[in-house]
């Protein structure tokens, strides 16, 4: 295993995180043991963050002590890998659908750095009092108003932002690249500093990762 980013390892074209909860699988991912450490394969077809890394993204945005606000946590597939990396940090994981939230609670019960929050990311006033010193805003909500949701939440964070844009959720008939550029222009007009717009296809079709500095 070669460490390519803090807590993220690569071997033969696949990426892994070292499990914070050895012996348990979160979403049926493959595990590999090496030198007494259990590594969980990070599947780019199940997690846009894994796709982003496999597309060559090499910024160390997630570190051992990262404090992350994660919007659209679902049952915790990606959250579980962030939890492996940010061992001394915390992930405030917001999800509004009851079914995945139940699985997220079960995941959080096994790991000490996940705080599950049942809530709508459009109504941050309901969870913002729970947060402190957040340095990364990660959003993956697949909603038509995903840019507005990001704009609302950006004020809670100082550091970086990763917005996983699902272009088809904004406009199902327009070309995904055109949608991503229009959304990026809208975010910029509203004061967001975009550093990069990365096409996640073919791993995650019709998705773009927007990499943002939040000052
Ligand atoms: C594409 S899935 C997220 C997958 C997850 N990020 C992962 O990689 O493991 C989108 C999730 O966002 C949630 N969601 C959508 N709109 C939301 C909102 N306004 N507030 C909170 N969660 C929302 C959905 O219920 C769904 O579980």
């Amino acid at each position: 295993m070669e460490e390519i980013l803090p807590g993220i390892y690569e071997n033969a074209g696949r990426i892994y995180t070292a499990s914070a909860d050895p012996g348990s699988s979160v979403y049926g991912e493959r595990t590999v043991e090496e030198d007494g450490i259990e590594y969980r394969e990070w599947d780019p077809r199940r997690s846009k963050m894994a796709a982003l890394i496999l597309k060559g993204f090499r910024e160390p945005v997630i570190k051992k002590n990262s404090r992350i606000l994660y919007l659209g946590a679902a049952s915790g597939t990606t959250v579980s890998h962030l939890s492996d990396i940010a061992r001394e940090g915390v992930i405030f994981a917001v999800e509004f659908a009851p079914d995945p939230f139940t699985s997220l609670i079960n995941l959080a019960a096994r790991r000490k750095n996940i705080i599950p929050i049942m809530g709508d990311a459009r109504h941050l006033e309901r969870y913002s009092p729970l947060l402190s010193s957040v340095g990364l805003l990660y959003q993956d909500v697949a909603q038509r108003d995903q840019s507005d949701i990001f704009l609302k939440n950006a004020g809670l964070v100082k550091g970086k932002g990763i917005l996983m844009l699902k272009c088809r959720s904004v406009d199902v008939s327009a070309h995904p690249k055109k949608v991503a550029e229009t959304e990026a222009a809208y975010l910029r007009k509203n004061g967001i500093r975009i550093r990069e717009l990365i096409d996640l296809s073919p791993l995650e079709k019709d998705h773009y990762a927007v990499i943002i500095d939040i000052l």
Side-chain angles (χ1 to χ4, degrees):
M1 291 280 173
E2 182 198 353
E3 192 171 21
I4 53 167
L5 279 168
I8 304 173
Y9 304 84
E10 196 258 344
N11 188 20
R14 296 168 190 259
I15 59 169
Y16 300 82
T17 56
S19 182
D21 182 20
S24 84
S25 160
V26 177
Y27 57 101
E29 69 280 13
R30 209 170 58 90
T31 58
V32 180
E33 196 166 321
E34 200 179 286
D35 298 329
I37 297 171
E38 185 178 289
Y39 294 91
R40 302 169 54 231
E41 186 173 347
W42 198 352
D43 185 345
R45 308 241 172 223
R46 302 286 301 276
S47 169
K48 282 144 221 147
M49 189 65 209
L52 178 61
I53 294 162
L54 284 166
K55 291 284 294 196
F57 182 73
R58 288 294 180 272
E59 260 191 69
V61 286
I62 312 153
K63 302 186 187 114
K64 202 174 182 176
N65 58 358
S66 289
R67 299 175 63 83
I68 303 165
L69 173 58
Y70 192 121
L71 306 176
S75 54
T77 299
T78 300
V79 167
S80 68
H81 289 285
L82 304 194
S83 157
D84 284 345
I85 302 163
R87 294 286 176 103
E88 288 164 21
V90 64
I91 302 142
F92 300 98
V94 179
E95 174 54 55
F96 73 177
D99 283 356
F101 190 72
T102 304
S103 306
L104 187 65
I105 289 179
N106 292 335
L107 178 73
R110 302 182 61 90
R111 290 161 174 261
K112 59 178 172 47
N113 58 356
I114 300 173
I115 300 183
I117 298 171
M118 173 97 188
D120 186 333
R122 297 183 183 97
H123 297 287
L124 51 151
E125 67 283 359
R126 306 210 180 125
Y127 55 83
S128 57
L130 303 173
L131 314 180
S132 63
S133 315
V134 178
L136 173 65
L137 173 58
Y138 184 100
Q139 181 182 307
D140 179 18
V141 294
Q143 293 283 359
R144 177 182 275 273
D145 59 339
Q146 50 201 305
S147 294
D148 283 321
I149 292 175
F150 189 90
L151 283 168
K152 281 185 183 168
N153 283 271
L156 301 174
V157 177
K158 255 197 174 37
K160 303 277 180 204
I162 299 181
L163 167 58
M164 297 302 188
L165 260 182
K166 182 170 182 178
C167 299
R168 298 259 175 232
S169 298
V170 177
D171 186 338
V172 76
S173 58
H175 194 281
K177 185 166 191 269
K178 180 87 190 118
V179 173
E181 285 168 356
T182 305
E183 293 300 294
Y186 176 71
L187 289 164
R188 280 198 181 100
K189 203 176 106 207
N190 284 281
I192 293 291
R193 289 172 174 244
I194 298 179
R195 299 241 315 279
E196 268 186 281
L197 193 56
I198 300 170
D199 181 358
L200 297 181
S201 64
L203 294 165
E204 297 276 359
K205 204 167 156 269
D206 304 334
H207 283 83
Y208 277 74
V210 191
I211 314 301
I212 291 158
D213 282 331
I214 307 176
L215 304 178

